[in-house]
Amino acid sequence: MIKNILFDFGAVLIPIDESLTWSAFQELGAKDELKDQQKLFQKYEKGKISTSEFLAQIQPYFFRKIYPPQLGEAWNSMLKPLPSERVNFLKRLKKEYRIFLLSNTNELHINHIKQQAGLFEYKQFISQFENVHYSYEMGMRKPDAEIFEKVLKDNNLVAEETFYIDDGKKHIKTAKSLGIETWHFKPEEDDINDLRKVLSKLHS
């Protein structure tokens, strides 16, 4: 029986479009090599470098000097507004389950979401979760098993009683390997409001 629900953030609870960030970078004169800097992006997601260091380290991948606020704005372009109905959706859900958030994210994105939603709305959203786990605050990221293991341990969760929703195949694979039930969420096909239907199939 599922007792706990662990949500990914981007693409599951908040719409994102990564192509918008790359388009914004291209408009600023990004070099093609910027797309290959996955290790740098992951380092930032793990909180191993500060926001100012991150922006300074992507600067050389542009044909001209771009000031940090412009780089930050372009980086945040992928984020669409947090849907207002999410709070009520989570409020209803937490009457039956323990719910948690686990996201590969970074300081720039979270600050932007707070600003875009407004501090009150953001706090309302966050307060629905028993615990919020952001990669940049934890020093680790998905799909590494250690981040799932830490979330399970810190919240006293039994893997087999936990249901995890993510749009990333690798993240789902790791969760499954630890005994966690999963839903590989496809944003272009799936609707998070169908969660109860998915869970009912699991329970039957």
Side-chain angles (χ1 to χ4, degrees), residues 58-152:
I58 64 171
Q59 170 60 68
Y61 296 99
F62 290 82
F63 287 106
R64 60 187 176 87
K65 182 172 176 61
I66 309 295
Y67 290 98
Q70 290 175 284
L71 292 174
E73 190 178 338
W75 176 250
N76 289 330
S77 295
M78 70 177 76
L79 299 167
K80 297 184 178 181
L82 182 64
S84 57
E85 68 272 15
R86 287 291 178 263
V87 170
N88 287 332
F89 166 77
L90 295 168
K91 270 184 183 175
R92 291 191 297 270
L93 200 63
K94 77 173 188 177
K95 289 177 183 176
E96 299 174 55
Y97 302 93
R98 297 176 67 193
I99 63 173
F100 304 85
L101 188 64
L102 173 61
S103 177
N104 280 354
T105 190
N106 55 80
E107 186 181 46
L108 272 171
H109 280 173
I110 295 303
N111 285 345
H112 181 75
I113 291 167
K114 286 179 186 176
Q115 186 179 18
Q116 200 174 43
L119 203 53
F120 176 77
E121 189 69 25
Y122 176 78
K123 283 183 177 178
Q124 279 278 91
F125 171 74
I126 290 301
S127 67
Q128 304 312 312
F129 300 98
E130 190 173 322
N131 252 324
V132 171
H133 302 275
Y134 289 149
S135 61
Y136 77 100
E137 294 177 336
M138 298 174 74
M140 52 186 80
R141 70 186 293 281
K142 301 175 285 185
D144 298 340
E146 62 174 356
I147 195 168
F148 289 98
E149 290 166 344
K150 182 163 177 58
V151 170
L152 292 174

